[in-house]
Amino acid sequence: MSERFKVTKFEEPSGKTYKNYGATSAESDVELKGKLLPDSGDTDEHGLPKDKDKGCDTNLYLYHEEIEDRPRAATFLSSLADYSNTIPTASTADPDTPKPAPPARMGTLIGVYLPCIQNIFGVILFIRLTWVVGTAGAIQGFLIVLTCCCTTMLTAISMSAIATNGVVPAGGSYFMIGRSLGPECGGAVGMLFYTGTTLAAAMYIVGAVEIVLTYMAPWMSIFGDFTKDPEAMYNNFRVYGTGLLLIMGMVVFVGVKFVNKFATIALACVILSISAVYAGIFVNFNGNDKLQMCVLGKRLLKDINIRNCSKDVGGELYQLFCPNNTCDPYYAAHNVSIVQGIKGLASGVFFDNLQDSFLQLGQYIAYGKEPDDIEQMERPTYNQIYADLTTTFTILIGIFFPSVTGIMAGSNRSGDLADAQKSIPIGTIGAILTTSTVYLSCVLLFAGTVDNLLLRDKFGQSIGGKLVVANMAWPNQWVILVGSFLSTLGAGLQSLTGAPRLLQAIAKDEIIPFLAPFAVSSSRGEPTRALLLTMVICQCGILLGNVDILAPLLSMFFLMCYGFVNLACALQTLLKTPNWRPRFKYYHWSLSLAGLVLCISIMFMTSWFYALIAMGMAGLIYKYIEYRGAEKEWGDGLRGLALSAARYSLLRLEEGPPHTKNWRPQVLVLAKLNDDLTPKYRKLLAFANQLKAGKGLTVCVSVLGGDFTRRASEATTARQNLRQCMDEEKVKGFVDALVSHSIADGLSHFVQTTGLGGLKPNTVIVGWPYGWRQSEDDRTWHVFLHTVRAVTAARMAMLVPKGINFFPNSTEKVSGNIDIWWIVHDGGMLMLLPFLLKQHRTWKNCKMRIFTVAQMEDNSIQMKKDLKMFLYQLRLEAEVEVVEMTDSDISAYTYERTLMMEQRNQMLRELRLNKKETLGMVQAIVDHHHADVKTASKVRFAEPGAEPIPDDAPSPPLTDSEDKEKDEKDEFRSSLLHIIDSMWDSPETSQCEAAPSPPLDADKLKEGGANGDALNAKPSIPITPDEGTVRRMHTAVKLNEVIVTRSHDAQLVILNLPGPPRDTKLERESNYMEFLEVLTEGLERVLMVRGGGREVITIYS
């Protein structure tokens, strides 16, 4: 098995012995067994029950209360198959929709590449590309195709980034943009994309009719000879197009399965047709005599048999140009010639086709641009071919651009792909590269094979109404004619199938109320109403009757859609939202902006009128969705604009909690001050800066004890010092200081009230109270635990860095591992934090390792697979290890350490005696514990140059009413706690390095003479820890052994912070603090994390 993903089994280190310390005597064990547990008899050697209920798992009992509302990691991973977070699929909103069959899991080739190929290669390739090349010339024609292909390539790069930023259900650009830029932009783009797709169906239908009537069956015309009257041709297109639309609509309504099967046939026709064109170009390398044109002077003629191409008196041309024996001046001045249409690559015609031949409406198609050759001069046109459309570089871009659309076909099928995040970028970009290569090569090959006049003959009238591309193909023109007709029909059917479903998806999202009727499905699950509306809009497009009018119009809608895709990617990249973690890495905001600029430029270059129509339509939909009846506010200059924007944003944020994708840590730092009112742990600010990467909301606050009227000036000084420290640490944010009689209440007030509207902190950073064992009043763990409870009640996340002095500065760079110990799932905070830290240069070079704990009943192999897949869907790179913790009995070390903790609690209770009663006990302890006590150093947790044992919280200054007796009492208690803590720390020197030494033995204390008598002044109370306490200690010890073994060399260890005890008794709170000390023992940098009770990370885009 690979070392990257492995499952290991953790067992007790062999040979490790624990000395019996903390237990007073063997009799106390017996007494404990008798009093602690029910009389069941099923107990182990320490008196704990052998049979544990499933809810009280001994190995994780410290997190027992958490599991009531936060699942274990193993439980969460087992449900990943059903993980949908907060984004329901569209089908869940409609109870009438039948359950779809499980989709086939398609790969890159079948699922993305080939559908994109089919959608990109369209009717324009067969009926307009030769005309574009002849009109624009080889150079500008190449630039036209290259510009369109670059636009779609840049859009595909942006789309790949968005599509791989989570699971993208079907819906294509509508879903991606709607979830990236909000419902307003999503709705606007969705309607643009729908309109574009519908008009594309109209263009395909008109194109198919043009292929049949012009090149396959001209005799079917019902409006006379359309070669002499363009309006007759367009009327034919309208009539036959309407009939074809009705037939295709019925096919879509009756059998979608047929449409999907026909898509395969259409794709085969496209590939076969293009292959035939390439084969024909090389077969005709030296040209052929099949296509010959009759040219008068430099003008191209139509409807003339090549055998009659002469100026013989009485001939066909003479009768046309010399009615009443008066000849046309141009006819009289020029000779006629027969020109070979297909000249072949060897002829060198490529150089004749380099320059452009743009014409105005009505100008003749002729060699060169001489006015005598191209202008009508108010004379009859006879059978000379003239331009039916004014052409420019930009107009041709608009006409050709639909040939490169269809890049969304892969993302629309994301729900059917086996690995969408891999297939969509590779398949889409591969399809664009393939089609771009075909288009660009065709531009050069057409220019090098076909005569310029024939290239510019749009409908092949000079060669008897034949399709130029078809007559280049090998072996026969019918391969192209039938293939292009079937492929165009297939593309039209795909558009008529996809557009109604897109409209239904928009309607089901309920962001555009008047579309609500179209959300209904038929009994067969088909969007019948949406199909009818689509056919009505498509009919409007068909009534335009001209591909050259439809193409620029639908180009506007696709360009708007692609522009929004680029805008979404650029904004997400520049804003650096935590949820923006695309698997596709080859994107950049500059590329997205370039794509956006290209889209807008092409729109206005092609037709400013159509561009304004498309943008106006998008703007109206946007404002309609956004409309809330809000008042407008006029400010003065830029400041007023900023104020209005801030007010508007705050009011929008107030509407509700942010979506999971928009969640980011808004940090509230609870800073502790020194006596000189400067922050004691400045690295808390550095850590906040690294977590925020210099962005987002950061508020640093502190509480001073005392009366505000007396300490107002000190509060101002504290704010200034906090601001100075934030500036030095380059943290952008706000500061505040509060004066309160109670430190705990002041911190609680900050947690409750900091922020404005929706811009409120959601994450609290609070320092670990390193000196909690050295004092027993409410300035110690009471403040910390009160803060933890307040943060939990406020449903905010909490970060507790331990060993903060060993955290790196923002100017340092560290490399190594960031280890995440995922015990319970609390919304994904543990997953998100290391990703955010790695965005900062300090932690950028670190690698993530995620450890999760498996119990004996868990399937650790499946857990590893589920966790690996979960991380893959989250787009997070991390090593995974599942650690099996054996369901071992509670060790003597755990049991005895619990007893020692209870001893300390008992001594703390003794401190409530008066000073005189306690002196004797203190002296006895000092005499016994005088020389061989090895005190654990606390310097590592202190600021440089500080005392080894820091205070916990800023204490209020003594008032005049306080006397020396309180000073002496506090000094005495502090000294006593130093001694107790020395006893406590002596056996506590990292259990991984040395075996703990036995503590004070009560039997020996009783032999201490007079001082010992002082200890016996009060009767001894038997120490009887309850079952829950022992199990929690067991969790802390076992987890600490596992963590230290695997993460001792990690740069940072992140783990779940167990919830505070619900019981506020002194003993329970002291025990909780001790559990956390044991849990993190032997680790230099620890970050304990407690989520706010909501999801902060999602697999969705």
Side-chain angles (χ1 to χ4, degrees):
M1 183 183 295
S2 171
E3 288 294 321
R4 182 173 174 82
F5 298 102
K6 57 185 179 180
V7 178
T8 59
K9 190 171 185 177
F10 183 79
E11 298 177 351
E12 294 265 0
S14 59
K16 182 170 181 178
T17 59
Y18 302 106
K19 297 184 180 180
N20 181 20
Y21 66 96
T24 55
S25 65
E27 286 78 14
S28 64
D29 291 345
V30 177
E31 187 176 9
L32 176 67
K33 293 177 185 178
K35 292 188 176 182
L36 173 64
L37 304 169
D39 299 330
S40 63
D42 294 331
T43 58
D44 61 14
E45 58 179 330
H46 301 298
L48 296 178
K50 294 179 180 177
D51 297 327
K52 303 177 290 295
D53 60 284
K54 293 181 180 179
C56 301
D57 195 352
T58 302
N59 282 337
L60 297 179
Y61 197 80
L62 181 58
Y63 295 92
H64 174 54
E65 293 179 354
E66 302 289 291
I67 293 174
E68 293 181 7
D69 54 359
R70 302 180 187 212
R72 282 196 307 122
T75 306
F76 175 76
L77 286 172
S78 66
S79 62
L80 277 182
D82 301 322
Y83 184 75
S84 61
N85 200 3
T86 56
I87 304 179
T89 58
S91 61
T92 59
D94 187 1
D96 299 330
T97 304
K99 293 183 179 179
R105 313 308 288 177
M106 295 183 290
T108 303
L109 181 67
I110 303 297
V112 180
Y113 180 77
L114 292 180
C116 285
I117 290 285
Q118 180 193 352
N119 280 266
I120 294 174
F121 283 136
V123 66
I124 300 294
L125 169 64
F126 300 106
I127 66 175
R128 290 292 184 272
L129 185 56
T130 52
W131 173 70
V132 169
V133 173
T135 305
I139 296 175
Q140 294 193 48
F142 191 87
L143 289 177
I144 287 172
V145 176
L146 184 63
T147 302
C148 295
C149 293
C150 286
T151 303
T152 53
M153 176 58 76
L154 292 173
T155 304
I157 291 173
S158 300
M159 185 196 73
S160 297
I162 298 174
T164 58
N165 187 49
V167 180
V168 180
S173 59
Y174 163 64
F175 182 91
M176 291 189 292
I177 296 172
R179 272 55 178 180
S180 298
L181 296 181
E184 295 89 354
C185 288
V189 172
M191 290 305 298
L192 290 174
F193 194 55
Y194 165 74
T195 308
T197 305
T198 305
L199 291 178
M203 186 190 73
Y204 289 133
I205 291 173
V206 173
V209 173
E210 179 179 321
I211 291 173
V212 173
L213 287 182
T214 308
Y215 309 115
M216 296 174 68
W219 50 266
M220 294 178 62
S221 174
I222 56 178
F223 290 96
D225 187 0
F226 58 83
T227 61
K228 294 181 173 57
D229 182 10
E231 282 303 318
M233 177 172 60
Y234 298 142
N235 287 333
N236 279 314
F237 291 171
R238 294 180 180 106
V239 173
Y240 281 103
T242 302
L244 186 58
L245 172 64
L246 292 174
I247 295 172
M248 294 171 66
M250 290 298 296
V251 170
V252 172
F253 175 75
V254 173
V256 179
K257 292 182 179 179
F258 172 77
V259 175
N260 294 331
K261 291 179 180 178
F262 189 77
T264 306
I265 300 174
L267 176 61
C269 292
V270 169
I271 297 174
L272 181 62
S273 301
I274 294 173
S275 302
V277 171
Y278 276 108
I281 287 174
F282 290 101
V283 167
N284 297 315
F285 186 79
N286 295 311
N288 64 50
D289 297 330
K290 293 179 183 177
L291 302 181
Q292 292 182 327
M293 303 174 295
C294 186
V295 178
L296 173 63
K298 293 184 179 181
R299 295 178 182 175
L300 184 63
L301 303 180
K302 66 178 179 179
D303 300 333
I304 186 77
N305 192 302
I306 202 65
R307 289 173 294 183
N308 297 325
C309 184
S310 67
K311 293 183 68 175
D312 296 340
V313 177
E316 188 175 349
L317 286 179
Y318 182 85
Q319 294 176 4
L320 277 173
F321 284 91
C322 299
N324 303 321
N325 293 324
T326 304
C327 291
D328 181 83
Y330 190 85
Y331 175 80
H334 295 83
N335 294 322
V336 295
S337 59
I338 297 175
V339 177
Q340 183 179 355
I342 307 296
K343 294 186 175 182
L345 292 172
S347 66
V349 73
F350 177 80
F351 299 100
D352 298 332
N353 289 325
L354 284 177
Q355 300 301 318
D356 67 86
S357 302
F358 297 123
L359 298 176
Q360 297 294 319
L361 175 66
Q363 290 182 333
Y364 290 121
I365 295 176
Y367 292 119
K369 297 182 180 180
E370 292 296 329
D372 289 343
D373 296 322
I374 64 176
E375 296 295 342
Q376 290 190 9
M377 305 292 187
E378 297 182 358
R379 300 170 187 164
T381 59
Y382 303 109
N383 67 336
Q384 302 169 98
I385 301 176
Y386 56 88
D388 63 343
L389 176 73
T390 299
T391 52
T392 62
F393 179 84
T394 55
I395 288 176
L396 291 184
I397 287 181
I399 292 175
F400 178 76
F401 190 81
S403 291
V404 296
T405 59
I407 62 175
M408 300 287 183
S411 63
N412 289 342
R413 297 166 175 247
S414 60
D416 300 327
L417 299 175
D419 188 351
Q421 298 188 3
K422 175 184 176 184
S423 297
I424 289 177
I426 296 175
T428 305
I429 294 175
I432 292 175
L433 290 175
T434 303
T435 53
S436 299
T437 302
V438 170
Y439 283 137
L440 292 171
S441 63
C442 282
V443 169
L444 301 178
L445 292 174
F446 290 168
T449 302
V450 186
D451 184 81
N452 180 262
L453 291 181
L454 184 55
L455 283 174
R456 294 157 62 195
D457 185 5
K458 185 188 296 184
F459 300 108
Q461 294 169 316
S462 63
I463 54 176
K466 296 178 181 179
L467 183 61
V468 177
V469 175
N471 284 271
M472 274 191 292
W474 179 88
N476 190 282
Q477 65 168 341
W478 288 97
V479 174
I480 298 296
L481 292 175
V482 175
S484 60
F485 175 71
L486 291 179
S487 66
T488 305
L489 277 186
L493 286 172
Q494 290 288 338
S495 298
L496 282 179
T497 305
R501 282 160 175 76
L502 176 60
L503 180 65
Q504 186 184 41
I506 299 172
K508 282 186 175 181
D509 277 352
E510 299 179 350
I511 58 174
I512 304 179
F514 65 78
L515 291 180
F518 300 101
V520 179
S521 300
S522 67
S523 58
R524 298 182 295 113
E526 295 296 323
T528 306
R529 296 182 182 179
L531 176 61
L532 292 175
L533 178 62
T534 301
M535 292 180 65
V536 170
I537 298 174
C538 188
Q539 177 62 28
C540 296
I542 291 173
L543 292 178
L544 294 175
N546 191 345
V547 170
D548 299 330
I549 297 176
L550 277 169
L553 183 60
L554 69 93
S555 292
M556 296 300 154
F557 294 107
F558 281 117
L559 283 166
M560 281 287 291
C561 177
Y562 294 167
F564 271 107
V565 170
N566 286 302
L567 176 63
C569 181
L571 284 180
Q572 293 273 43
T573 307
L574 291 173
L575 293 176
K576 296 181 179 179
T577 54
N579 189 59
W580 181 245
R581 303 183 301 277
R583 285 205 166 274
F584 181 76
K585 302 298 182 184
Y586 305 102
Y587 70 94
H588 194 265
W589 61 267
S590 59
L591 296 178
S592 300
L593 285 182
L596 175 62
V597 170
L598 262 179
C599 290
I600 297 176
S601 301
I602 292 175
M603 286 176 63
F604 282 94
M605 285 192 303
T606 303
S607 171
W608 63 268
F609 181 69
Y610 284 165
L612 290 178
I613 289 177
M615 296 180 74
M617 177 179 170
L620 287 174
I621 298 172
Y622 181 95
K623 296 306 292 182
Y624 175 77
I625 298 173
E626 181 196 47
Y627 179 66
R628 295 289 185 271
E631 295 181 0
K632 297 186 183 299
E633 182 183 75
W634 298 99
D636 56 326
L638 294 177
R639 185 173 179 83
L641 178 63
L643 180 62
S644 297
R647 174 181 175 272
Y648 175 78
S649 299
L650 282 173
L651 292 175
R652 288 290 302 273
L653 287 174
E654 186 70 23
E655 292 177 5
H659 192 276
T660 302
K661 294 181 302 178
N662 297 326
W663 192 95
R664 60 178 68 199
Q666 311 291 359
V667 178
L668 174 65
V669 181
L670 305 181
K672 177 182 173 183
L673 301 181
N674 288 318
D675 293 338
D676 57 354
L677 302 179
T678 58
K680 186 166 188 176
Y681 300 116
R682 294 182 52 148
K683 286 192 176 180
L684 280 178
L685 296 175
F687 177 71
N689 182 38
Q690 295 160 17
L691 183 65
K692 298 298 298 177
K695 296 183 181 294
L697 174 68
T698 303
V699 183
C700 182
V701 300
S702 187
V703 178
L704 301 177
D707 183 31
F708 177 66
T709 57
R710 297 186 180 185
R711 306 198 69 182
S713 60
E714 295 180 44
T716 303
T717 303
R719 292 189 192 96
Q720 295 173 350
N721 293 339
L722 288 173
R723 167 55 59 194
Q724 182 179 354
C725 285
M726 289 187 70
D727 292 340
E728 292 172 356
E729 294 293 341
K730 298 181 180 179
V731 182
K732 295 181 180 180
F734 307 95
V735 299
D736 201 2
L738 178 72
V739 180
S740 174
H741 289 287
S742 169
I743 301 293
D745 288 345
L747 294 175
S748 177
H749 294 159
F750 269 131
V751 169
Q752 295 178 61
T753 61
T754 302
L756 179 64
L759 197 64
K760 296 176 70 69
N762 54 28
T763 304
V764 177
I765 299 180
V766 60
W768 175 256
Y770 301 107
W772 69 272
R773 288 174 178 162
Q774 279 72 48
S775 181
E776 45 84 34
D777 59 16
D778 62 359
R779 290 178 294 162
T780 57
W781 70 74
H782 173 74
V783 176
F784 175 76
L785 285 176
H786 191 277
T787 305
V788 173
R789 292 189 176 105
V791 172
T792 302
R795 297 183 63 80
M796 300 166 70
M798 186 171 191
L799 311 181
V800 183
K802 193 163 181 275
I804 188 64
N805 288 332
F806 283 84
F807 278 61
N809 291 318
S810 296
T811 56
E812 299 178 25
K813 286 187 176 182
V814 296
S815 59
N817 295 318
I818 299 178
D819 286 359
I820 300 102
W821 284 87
W822 191 26
I823 311 300
V824 294
H825 179 68
D826 57 355
M829 277 292 293
L830 268 71
M831 305 293 184
L832 187 61
L833 286 175
F835 170 78
L836 295 176
L837 287 175
K838 279 168 60 64
Q839 304 307 302
H840 194 272
R841 61 188 298 271
T842 298
W843 302 92
K844 189 174 184 179
N845 296 326
C846 290
K847 296 181 179 179
M848 286 172 56
R849 296 194 305 181
I850 296 183
F851 298 86
T852 190
V853 176
Q855 301 300 304
M856 295 301 294
E857 66 272 12
D858 295 328
N859 185 342
S860 56
I861 301 297
Q862 187 61 41
M863 280 180 64
K864 180 202 70 174
K865 292 180 180 178
D866 293 340
L867 180 54
K868 181 180 176 182
M869 178 54 65
F870 184 49
L871 293 177
Y872 180 81
Q873 291 177 336
L874 289 175
R875 294 91 65 204
L876 295 176
E877 297 289 339
E879 295 182 17
V880 173
E881 186 172 347
V882 179
V883 180
E884 289 185 353
M885 289 184 65
T886 57
D887 196 8
S888 60
D889 293 331
I890 295 174
S891 64
Y893 172 78
T894 301
Y895 176 69
E896 291 158 7
R897 184 145 188 178
T898 307
L899 288 179
M900 187 170 185
M901 180 175 65
E902 295 294 343
Q903 279 186 335
R904 183 178 190 277
N905 291 337
Q906 183 175 352
M907 291 181 181
L908 289 175
R909 285 192 294 270
E910 293 290 340
L911 287 180
R912 287 171 173 74
L913 304 175
N914 60 44
K915 179 178 178 180
K916 185 174 181 179
E917 289 177 313
T918 315
L919 276 174
M921 181 182 70
V922 174
Q923 188 60 45
I925 296 174
V926 172
D927 290 343
H928 175 80
H929 212 72
H930 58 286
D932 46 5
V933 170
K934 195 156 72 174
T935 306
S937 173
K938 295 290 191 297
V939 177
R940 51 172 288 193
F941 296 127
E943 283 292 314
E947 292 297 324
I949 300 182
D951 299 329
D952 177 66
S955 56
L958 296 177
T959 58
D960 296 336
S961 61
E962 294 174 325
D963 53 14
K964 292 183 180 180
E965 182 178 350
K966 186 179 188 313
D967 293 338
E968 292 175 0
K969 185 176 181 181
D970 287 346
E971 183 179 354
F972 160 73
R973 290 183 172 180
S974 180
S975 300
L976 179 59
L977 282 167
H978 271 278
I979 297 170
I980 295 175
D981 200 52
S982 298
M983 296 170 54
W984 180 250
D985 286 330
S986 59
E988 205 180 292
T989 57
S990 183
Q991 60 200 24
C992 296
E993 299 172 3
S997 57
L1000 179 65
D1001 193 336
D1003 292 336
K1004 294 183 179 180
L1005 270 180
K1006 292 178 182 179
E1007 301 171 1
N1011 292 331
D1013 293 339
L1015 273 175
N1016 295 326
K1018 289 228 172 237
S1020 176
I1021 301 175
I1023 299 174
T1024 57
D1026 62 26
E1027 177 188 351
T1029 302
V1030 178
R1031 286 187 175 177
R1032 289 183 177 90
M1033 180 61 77
H1034 177 75
T1035 300
V1037 171
K1038 292 285 289 183
L1039 279 178
N1040 179 257
E1041 290 175 359
V1042 177
I1043 295 172
V1044 169
T1045 301
R1046 283 163 174 75
S1047 302
H1048 61 278
D1049 58 347
Q1051 292 292 346
L1052 178 64
V1053 175
I1054 304 177
L1055 51 82
N1056 293 104
L1057 174 69
R1062 297 172 183 174
D1063 191 350
T1064 57
K1065 291 181 180 178
L1066 178 98
E1067 290 82 1
R1068 288 298 304 275
E1069 293 185 344
S1070 174
N1071 291 350
Y1072 173 75
M1073 298 297 293
E1074 190 56 41
F1075 295 147
L1076 297 185
E1077 287 281 8
V1078 174
L1079 185 62
T1080 58
E1081 206 170 50
L1083 300 171
E1084 190 171 75
R1085 297 175 185 151
V1086 183
L1087 180 64
M1088 290 179 281
V1089 180
R1090 181 170 172 80
R1094 59 160 295 168
E1095 293 289 331
V1096 299
I1097 195 169
T1098 175
I1099 66 173
Y1100 287 99
S1101 171

